[in-house]
Amino acid sequence: MPVKLTVTGAHAVAQAMRQINPDVVAAYPITPQTPVVEYYATFVADGMVDTILVPVESEHSAMSAVVGAAAAGARTMTATAANGLALMIEIVYIAASYRLPIIMPLVNRALSGPLNIHCDHSDAMLARDSGWIQFFTENHQEAYDFTIIATKLAEKENVLLPAMVNLDGFITSHGVESFEMLDDEVVKEFVGTWNPKYSLLDTENPVTFGPVDLFDYYFEHHRQQEEAMNNAYEELPKVFEEFAKISGRKYDFLDLYKTDDADYIMVVMNSTASTAKYVVDELREEGKKVGLIKPQVFTPFPKKEFQKALNGRKGVVILDRAMSFGKEAPLYSLIKSALYEVPSRPKLGSYIYGLGGRNTSPKMIRQAFEDAFNDNLVADEQRYLGLRE
Amino acid sequence: MSNLKGWKEIPIGGVIDKPATSRLYKTGEWRVSRPVIDREVCINCMQCWLYCPDMSIEGSIEGKRMKLGEFKMEYCKGCGVCAAVCPVNAIVMKPESEFIDE
Amino acid sequence: MPNIRDLVDYVENNDWAFTQGHRLCPGCNAPMVANWATLAAKSLGYEPVVGVATGCLEVSTTIFPYTSWNVPYIHNAFENVAATISGAEAAYRSLKNRKKIDNDKIKFIAIGGDGGTYDIGLQSLSGAIERGHDFVYILYDNEGYMNTGNQRSGSTPPGADSTTEPIGKASSGKLQLKKSIVDIVAGHEGVYAATAVTSEPWDFMRKMQQALEFRGPAFIAVLAPCVRFWRIPDDSGVEVTKLAVETKYWPLWEYNMGVYKVTKKPKTFKPVKEYITKLGRYNKLMKRPDANEILEELQNYVNAKWDRLLALEELTKDKPLRTKI
Ligand SMILES: Cc1ncc(C[n+]2csc(CCOP(=O)(O)OP(=O)(O)O)c2C)c(N)n1
């Protein structure tokens, strides 16, 4: 029977990892990811898992070690945040192009500088083109669930891509909240065993990982990666379906909240969606036809789902917790581009919020909606929520 | 590029799924001079076999003795290390131009 | 230790572990190291799993779809071969514990150039050694970033010409001595570490066997000339390393858990100048007015280093620092 645990988000993620019990975990501490590794180390120390934990000397080595371990046929995980991700980014790309299904919770934190340890999504956006599947989660339950879902998807034979599970630093990772934990056996069975096609330990069939790949084949290998990402998109609904069977929780690419008849829609990722839902409820009570979309999947980008959900609306406000200096914000630019193909384009507004952990209040969220109600959306203008002039 | 394979035909992840495939690449074409061995002088010590940076010298055990085999010209790059390490000077390097007919 | 018969016998009845068709320059000494290391392991009954750092050896032996490796192989990046192999080794332990693999013969070998070892890969190497992974790290030391065209590294000796610290009208080029990499590794204490050269294959084979049998991290630094950028004839790399030993430039020694041992003690030594003047990469130095000064400093250094080694040998005899990793 599932149990309710009232713990931090970091603990919830560590519990999912414990149930998956990977062969190898290599990680290096960084706020606010640290408790994930600490909990896991405790599980190892107490014999609750028989994972080999490699306490590496840097994030670069964490990703390098899991690449080595995964190539040797192990199910592998690591976790990091911000500067840790930046340090390992070279190998993050390599992991994806070697097609190693490594799972990595990314506890979102501002990517320096100056130094800031609090939440934003600039770290996730650094890796947006790395070839990893990227999930985003609102709360403890989702962070836990998606760690399990990610493992199942990443290891599909026609996918074989690494996956990141994003959760908001401090807000989710350190906040205490209840979530429902599945039975160990149920999770174990759901993720199954991992049988890699190639392994360094198969000395009867020696393979070469990571050759030099020049102008004659590099392009083809990258086309394969794109195909794998397309397959991940195709496979995900099935995985969501299977997960619903064991958990009763049915996920989709987009979490649609009161959007059915909505004229105005906000799009926001991760924990701020909770605040936004509260504001949507308030506005609904005031008679406003508003709704919220929280993408659960960022890569592969659910373009069709966005087109379907946003076609014909009056106004859409998109909140980004990261900037793309000199260009439109990442989530905004993707949605804007998706809407090029819809027959009835809504008005669009781009809002940057919450950088470096800046608090995002219901009032700020309401302000973005108000702009939409007042026909004050300018597609080419980037606005800021909670910024002092 | 005509005999190169398409993206659906190659293993994923850049993996080379078979070992030792570089044998298909004949480095002997690089050679400008080649080793010529005097079998009368050779003492079958296998020093050249051990040192050849291109593994292009064959060797075998015959009864109790080691025996130096063929020099595989398809791989030999003509570096001359074999001649340099030979303790009895049984190998000389000759310009490739002398073998144009072969 | 395998002897020549064992090796010939092994190859005749099996195959090379590192094969023909690689594209290293004619006369390069790096393939000798790769060949000997894997062959030693194979002939001793081990199954080597190899990781190589970015560099000449890596780029020239695995150009897709061609590979010269007849054993499992991984290249990850330039600075992380030790971390990568440490992960593979952890996977091996884990999968063995979980009875998913039944093979006691596997040995992990990481190979890196001097750039990938002394410089950009030093952190990853140190971490993997400190964690006590069971692997052998082999450095093929050609004293520069040769793959990218002879840039200086922390291993380039003073006075050697390089493209990032060239000798010019106003500069004698790099003046810093090489890092003493084996001392750095030995500083981790719970380790086997040794030097080797291509002119002493049996010294290398013995050390390789010791490294393979050592239950923990082992390190062998092999002086392996790059004929192209050392500006020496294609066939002379081996001869040059012989001279390196005879001039105290590259003494042969080993360190085992605190105990130092000099593994070759020539009766007489040649002046280091004899070694230096053999190498074309010092030609520009030799034309400079400060050439003798730099040579003298180097001579004093190698003398002191040699005396120090002998003293360390004496001091640490039968006195290991540790008995366990
Ligand atoms: C992070 C990173 N920086 C720089 C390079 C470029 N690079 C590739 S190989 C190399 C030099 C390798 O030198 P070394 O390790 O001494 O090996 P060698 O080529 O001399 O055998 C450099 C600088 C790289 N591949 N990756």
Side-chain angles (χ1 to χ4, degrees), chain A residues 123 142 165 233 320 330 337 347:
Chain A
D123 55 2
E142 290 187 4
V165 178
Y233 175 81
D320 272 276
S337 128
K347 290 213 161 174

Side-chain angles (χ1 to χ4, degrees), chain A residues 60 90-91, chain C residues 24 28 30 53-59 75 77-79 112-120 137 139-153 155 224 226 229:
Chain A
H60 195 284
E90 177 195 24
I91 317 303
Chain C
L24 286 152
C28 175
T54 311
C56 285
L57 180 67
E58 171 262 331
V59 300
H75 158 252
F78 186 18
E79 65 282 50
D114 46 285
T117 306
Y118 287 75
D119 294 347
I120 200 167
Y137 191 105
L139 155 69
Y140 67 98
D141 192 349
N142 56 27
E143 303 190 324
Y145 300 165
M146 300 323 192
N147 180 46
T148 41
N150 192 27
Q151 295 82 30
R152 65 95 92 180
S153 80
S155 166
C226 161
F229 290 117

Side-chain angles (χ1 to χ4, degrees), chain A residues 56-58 60-61 64, chain C residues 53-54 77-84 86 110-131 135 137 139 141 145 153-155 178-188 191 193 217 219 221:
Chain A
V56 283
E57 83 298 334
S58 72
H60 195 284
S61 286
S64 302
Chain C
T54 311
F78 186 18
E79 65 282 50
N80 64 355
V81 64
T84 305
S86 81
I111 309 181
D114 46 285
T117 306
Y118 287 75
D119 294 347
I120 200 167
L122 188 59
Q123 172 182 321
S124 147
L125 172 63
S126 175
I129 294 175
E130 181 272 330
R131 294 192 298 276
F135 72 116
Y137 191 105
L139 155 69
D141 192 349
Y145 300 165
S153 80
S155 166
K178 281 164 79 83
K179 292 186 199 176
S180 187
I181 192 72
V182 183
D183 285 310
I184 293 172
V185 171
H188 294 74
V191 67
F219 180 89

Side-chain angles (χ1 to χ4, degrees), chain B residues 22-23 51 53 55 64 77, chain C residues 5 15 20 22 24 67 198:
Chain B
S22 70
R23 283 179 171 143
Y51 269 105
M55 285 67 64
K64 288 204 157 161
K77 294 173 189 156
Chain C
R5 270 187 73 94
D15 199 353
Q20 302 84 2
H22 68 73
L24 286 152
T67 178
T198 50

Side-chain angles (χ1 to χ4, degrees), chain C residues 236-256:
Chain C
S236 69
V238 178
E239 187 192 339
V240 159
T241 67
K242 185 162 175 275
L243 210 45
V245 177
E246 291 168 347
T247 56
K248 301 183 194 164
Y249 179 81
W250 187 263
L252 294 176
W253 58 285
E254 66 188 2
Y255 167 97
N256 192 343

Side-chain angles (χ1 to χ4, degrees), chain A residues 20-24 49-52 54-75 87 90-91 94 98 100 193-194 199-214 216-217 221, chain C residues 42 47-50 58-81 83-95 97-98 100-101 103 106 108 123-128 130-131 133:
Chain A
I20 295 162
N21 191 8
D23 301 303
V24 174
V49 288
D50 59 353
T51 300
I52 299 260
V54 189
V56 283
E57 83 298 334
S58 72
E59 287 87 355
H60 195 284
S61 286
M63 188 48 69
S64 302
V66 291
V67 163
R75 179 179 271 162
L87 184 61
E90 177 195 24
I91 317 303
I94 290 172
Y98 288 14
L100 302 170
T193 52
W194 160 232
S199 161
L200 291 174
L201 303 185
D202 181 1
T203 53
E204 302 276 302
N205 300 292
V207 293
T208 290
F209 272 95
V212 181
D213 202 15
L214 301 176
D216 47 2
Y217 280 107
H221 286 125
Chain C
K42 279 276 196 183
E47 291 293 351
V49 170
V50 175
E58 171 262 331
V59 300
S60 308
T61 61
T62 58
I63 301 175
F64 189 90
Y66 303 109
T67 178
S68 303
W69 298 88
N70 211 359
V71 293
Y73 166 100
I74 184 167
H75 158 252
N76 188 345
F78 186 18
E79 65 282 50
N80 64 355
V81 64
T84 305
I85 278 297
S86 81
E89 188 265 354
Y92 180 48
R93 269 186 285 147
S94 184
L95 297 175
N97 287 348
R98 292 178 171 191
K100 289 188 197 161
I101 171 165
N103 182 343
I106 292 179
F108 294 91
Q123 172 182 321
S124 147
L125 172 63
S126 175
E130 181 272 330
R131 294 192 298 276
H133 293 277

Side-chain angles (χ1 to χ4, degrees), chain C residues 25-41:
Chain C
C25 300
C28 175
N29 282 25
M32 297 173 193
V33 179
N35 177 21
W36 297 350
T38 49
L39 200 54

